[in-house]
Amino acid sequence: MRPALLDPLFASVSSLPGIGPKLADLIARVTGREDADDCRVIDVLFHAPSSIIDRRNRPGIALSPQGAIVTLEGRVDRHQPPPPGKSNQPYRVFLHDETGELALTFFRVKGNWLEKALPIDEQVMVSGKVDWFNGRASMVHPDLMVKMSEAGDTPLVEPVYPLTAGLMPKVMRRAVEGALARLPQFPEWMDEPLREREGLPDLEEALRALHDPRDAADLDPRSPSRRRLAYDEFLAGQISLALVRQRMRKASGRAIIADGRLGARIRDSLPFTLTASQETAIADIRKDIARSERMLRLVQGDVGAGKTLVALMAMADAVEAGGQAVLMAPTEILARQHYATIQRFGAAAGLRVEVLTGRVKGKEREEVLARIASGEAQIIIGTHALFQDAIIYHDLMLAVVDEQHRFGVHQRLKLTSKGIAPHLLVMTATPIPRTLVLAAFGDMDVSKLTEKPAGRKPIQTVTIPSERTDEIIGRLRTALAEGKKAYWICPLVEESDESDLMSAEERHALLTAALGPQLGAKIGLVHGRMTGAEKDAVMTAFKAGEVRLLIATTVVEVGVDVPDATIMVIEHAERFGLAQLHQLRGRVGRGEEASTCILLYKGPLGETGRARLSILRDSEDGFLIAEEDLKLRGGGELLGTRQSGTPGFKIASLEAHADLLEIARKDAAYLIDKDPELNSERGQAVRTLLYLFRRDEAVRFLRAG
């Protein structure tokens, strides 16, 4: 049971003053929750401000520097609405102080609200960014406008939060204040000597300070309040991982004893030989699963390094020992692709392979479930549908999880808590630096696949400014006419007002117009808002050659396998992280032919952007790229999570808080060793910490013993 003192923090976000269902949805989106039902008051507390507005800067109109955010006081002189019928022209309000005149500029003004907000002759205070043009100062859409008679309670320093369309800063601030009002007095789970040594506040103090920054130093990840929150997050994560390990060690696995005859049949049927690192990984896994202690191993391999085959060899051993194996992938596309590969290679050994995703419904689903329960299905491949309670395995011995960072510890626990103790093999195509492995996986054993399979040619990578897009389209026309296949990657699904990025839908329309007529084959489009069935249909057509040019968002980033695609164009490459660009580039160069990757960027590039693209141009070593990426931009994005923190973390980040991760890891190990059931006074406080950071599954483990 969650401790009662946390109940106010786990009330729905719509219980906060002034937050109805529509706003609750927007807050859920901006705090990274699935939907309003899943969004709680605590999510608002962990939504950290990204910058501040400092209204202490009041230089006067004439002395305001270009581009600076300033606060000005002045008297309103006149209103200048757009001429009738010209609603696309701005509405201007002029005011002056003793140094000069300022034009406040507004677009798409509806109604007469400006006349009420800024009456002529009224003394007002405005705050926003000043722009100078032809010697005149203007401020577009001030972020604050208030009559001086009502300006008394305007804060001088105000936090600025990450927002989404439709969510106003005022609303977010009101939600935060409502959430802060519910803070209870937390028990202290941090080791007191450590807290004093690190100079960290208690949690309540840290949360209040987080939302009340006074200057830029308070926004620094190294500020005491952020370090305290980061430590708590790391500690919750490390204790969860320690409990998983403890439980996994406790629920002893069963040794998988196989002489490798099924594996040998698969090997004999392969049109190539395995690489040295594949052989090493297979040997390590075979040694692990032959013990009664459960295996917990991570296989890291660059794009195309042959991880699926390593997993198949392990699954073949499990089947040979009379058991079943599952392989779980993060998306429908990937699950079906693994199914195709494993079906193809497993056929030689007579393996019976099933696929189970959310799309398998009705009678067909019942039949698949029956085959899993009877043991007729030996290898089962699917998405997280594999976890659902309705699924009963005949004898599950091995679970393989692909692209683990998209699942997190929770699902790993769920699989384990089905009352079965399978050996666990985790695969990732994201080469992860050691610190990240610790944060995301705890002390897992790691196998690295370092070579590319034989016969793969290097991919030629070039960077080209977006002004030359037409030239690229011309070259693409020639290549497609020769029968080649190409990807064109865009950062967005559809065009939006706020962004000047090219959307996938818009690019699809332009390329269809430019290339469609003489291509004779369709131009496909794949993005995340399409259903699984729609995506699969386009991918199948692309594989079969009915579609030869595929416009896509990053949904094709992991694992999509079309060996004869040889051209990859990535638009707005400067907007992607290094690891993501490397993943995308790995979609080509999978067959016999030489491949090209074209990175289109919009100049001028910043220093980081330039560094990122040149690292990619000069190297195909995923591990080197991952280390560089970690230096340049942070672990969260490297693992494909949205926030720029570390995967699954709201505040903690590896670059800023690596020292705390190490301390939290040791602290968690010490705590679990001394108090494995968390029954001591500190142990009870730590249970509260686990609930606070939504690690309920880990607490359930304690109860389950």
Side-chain angles (χ1 to χ4, degrees), residues 466-488:
S466 55
E467 292 79 37
R468 290 170 55 193
T469 302
D470 288 348
E471 186 186 315
I472 298 300
I473 293 174
R475 281 161 62 182
L476 198 56
R477 186 180 287 118
T478 312
L480 293 168
E482 291 166 4
K484 292 192 164 51
K485 281 186 190 174
Y487 293 96
W488 188 298

Side-chain angles (χ1 to χ4, degrees), residues 29 163-166 492 494-501 575:
R29 186 181 310 165
L163 298 170
T164 184
L492 291 174
E494 58 198 32
E495 197 180 3
S496 68
D497 292 342
E498 301 95 79
S499 176
D500 58 345
L501 300 183
R575 293 297 183 101

Side-chain angles (χ1 to χ4, degrees), residues 127-160:
S127 187
K129 190 170 97 173
V130 171
D131 286 308
W132 285 89
F133 190 68
N134 287 344
R136 293 173 176 216
S138 87
M139 190 182 278
V140 178
H141 286 275
D143 67 78
L144 170 90
M145 301 188 303
V146 62
K147 297 171 184 172
M148 285 308 289
S149 56
E150 298 162 10
D153 55 356
T154 304
L156 291 177
V157 179
E158 209 176 313
V160 176

Side-chain angles (χ1 to χ4, degrees), residues 95-109:
L95 51 102
H96 74 277
D97 67 5
E98 61 276 12
T99 69
E101 185 180 60
L102 174 73
L104 301 178
T105 306
F106 302 87
F107 293 93
R108 299 196 189 95
V109 174

